[in-house]
Amino acid sequence: KPPGSARVFSGIQPTGVPHLGNYLGALENWVALQNQYPSVLYSIVDLHSITWPQDPDQLRNNILDMAASLLACGIDPQKVILFQQSQVPEHAELCWILGCLTSMPRLRHLPQWKMKTKLKNEGSVGLYTYPVLQAADILLYKSTHVPVGEDQVQHLELAQDLARIFNNSYGELFPEPRALLSSTRKVKSLRNPSAKMSKSDPQTVATITMTDSPDDIALKIRRAVTDFTSEVTFDPETRPGVSNLVMIHAAMAKISVEEALLQARGMDTGAYKGLVTEAVIQRLTPIREEIQRLRTDRVHLEGLLAQGKHRARELAAPVLAEARHRVGFC
């Protein structure tokens, strides 16, 4: 049982409506955490999103689409503080303070910079320093726990390091946040099971989004890459495509992998895809319908984010004021 002073923080970029990998890898866990911890903040991190060029109108729509999606997935604004990062200016100011405590070699070796700059052989200053902004997001609320995937652990370690560096330099202020690792496996691309499911995948049938129709879902799963063995087994190393379907089935039906394999006994992979399709459609249909309903009420979504902004700033402002005082600004 978490202590009464425990606080969870996490953020998600406003890339529009989430896909199945976002749901199983993060959002399902977010919904569970809001019932387990006394203080929870979830942020739509739009400052992070502009490390790559964005169309302003599309970004505005994406922010509201993400808010609608989070609510439809079960995030309860009565239990959590749900807010838009850029509406809380304390994030950016604490980022500057922490950036002045961060060395360039420390950032150069983080995986996100190495991975993204390989694509274009260049990157913005924002992309280079955005792990510092991630650290500021977390420390600004004196967060004690952060749900992360394995690929984000090194970024959380930077936040832990910066908490220690600040505390050693200016006196104890920030707790060192701990990782809450998700137990869900990464959802793989339906067309290339060696890669993660991604909204940027050029093959549209590779990714299931939360607003896909039942027909879209059925088509995408039917065209999912498997292999030449008809039996359904779970072996991610040698049979990644079939194993990805088993993992999706188990997660969406809320059963174990072993139970999913029992249900698949006697089926070939073609017939099993029908079982997976049924589980996905059953789980996503109420979420899709709620997203569509919420999308029609922009005023309601904007009002919820405005309320979240005020609640977030009530927590952030005194922490930033103390940090400013410690470094000598006031």
Side-chain angles (χ1 to χ4, degrees):
K1 186 178 178 181
S5 60
R7 174 170 289 156
V8 170
F9 177 92
S10 195
I12 188 168
Q13 290 199 33
T15 53
V17 173
H19 57 68
L20 189 63
N22 301 138
Y23 178 67
L24 293 178
L27 302 184
E28 188 180 42
N29 189 39
W30 281 20
V31 173
L33 291 173
Q34 72 183 358
N35 297 315
Q36 297 169 11
Y37 283 80
S39 178
V40 179
L41 295 99
Y42 294 140
S43 181
I44 299 172
V45 288
D46 49 343
L47 293 177
H48 290 290
S49 70
I50 64 168
T51 54
W52 294 104
Q54 301 283 329
D55 174 82
D57 289 333
Q58 187 63 54
L59 179 57
R60 278 186 277 271
N61 287 330
N62 283 351
I63 290 166
L64 294 183
D65 272 354
M66 182 57 73
S69 300
L70 294 176
L71 295 171
C73 288
I75 298 302
D76 184 349
Q78 300 302 315
K79 295 179 179 178
V80 308
I81 298 176
L82 175 63
F83 69 101
Q84 183 180 336
Q85 179 194 31
S86 65
Q87 295 183 350
V88 181
E90 288 84 356
H91 286 256
E93 187 168 353
L94 183 59
C95 176
W96 178 258
I97 293 172
L98 298 178
C100 294
L101 301 175
T102 311
S103 72
M104 292 178 69
R106 182 74 172 82
L107 296 179
R108 198 177 298 129
H109 294 295
L110 289 171
Q112 197 80 357
W113 171 256
K114 290 191 288 187
M115 180 183 74
K116 290 205 171 182
T117 51
K118 276 182 185 175
L119 301 177
K120 293 189 176 182
N121 296 317
E122 61 183 27
S124 68
V125 173
L127 180 64
Y128 187 71
T129 61
Y130 102 96
V132 182
L133 179 57
Q134 279 188 324
D137 297 337
I138 295 164
L139 299 183
L140 182 60
Y141 301 99
K142 295 189 174 181
S143 309
T144 58
H145 296 78
V146 183
V148 291
E150 290 179 1
D151 56 342
Q152 288 288 329
V153 168
Q154 288 187 17
H155 287 178
L156 181 60
E157 288 172 350
L158 176 65
Q160 294 167 338
D161 289 346
L162 286 173
R164 281 192 292 270
I165 291 168
F166 186 97
N167 292 343
N168 289 337
S169 300
Y170 300 110
E172 198 74 20
L173 179 59
F174 300 117
E176 292 181 28
R178 295 169 54 187
L180 293 172
L181 283 171
S182 172
S183 59
T184 305
R185 290 177 178 270
K186 294 291 182 188
V187 179
K188 303 295 185 180
S189 162
L190 296 178
R191 298 297 297 165
N192 176 16
S194 65
K196 286 196 304 183
M197 185 173 283
S198 169
K199 206 171 290 185
S200 60
D201 196 311
Q203 298 192 69
T204 56
V205 293
T207 302
I208 295 173
T209 66
M210 307 294 286
T211 50
D212 278 347
S213 70
D215 287 345
D216 290 334
I217 293 169
L219 172 66
K220 291 176 178 182
I221 293 177
R222 191 163 60 245
R223 297 185 61 183
V225 169
T226 52
D227 52 37
F228 296 109
T229 302
S230 62
E231 184 186 4
V232 178
T233 61
F234 187 75
D235 187 345
E237 293 299 318
T238 62
R239 304 192 70 198
V242 175
S243 299
N244 189 41
L245 291 177
V246 172
M247 192 281 295
I248 291 171
H249 175 210
M252 296 303 276
K254 296 188 175 181
I255 58 178
S256 66
V257 165
E258 291 74 21
E259 176 62 26
L261 292 173
L262 278 175
Q263 292 186 19
R265 183 175 291 172
M267 291 184 178
D268 62 17
T269 53
Y272 181 62
K273 285 179 178 181
L275 195 60
V276 179
T277 298
E278 184 181 332
V280 174
I281 290 173
Q282 186 173 350
R283 190 79 176 277
L284 290 191
T285 294
I287 295 174
R288 182 188 76 250
E289 291 173 349
E290 183 65 1
I291 291 172
Q292 291 169 342
R293 186 189 71 80
L294 288 166
R295 273 174 154 177
T296 64
D297 195 348
R298 292 175 66 95
V299 173
H300 173 65
L301 294 173
E302 289 167 350
L304 282 178
L305 291 178
Q307 291 173 17
K309 171 190 73 174
H310 293 305
R311 292 172 66 195
R313 292 202 73 183
E314 285 177 356
L315 296 177
V319 176
L320 179 66
E322 182 61 25
R324 286 172 55 87
H325 178 72
R326 298 280 182 97
V327 300
F329 290 160
C330 55

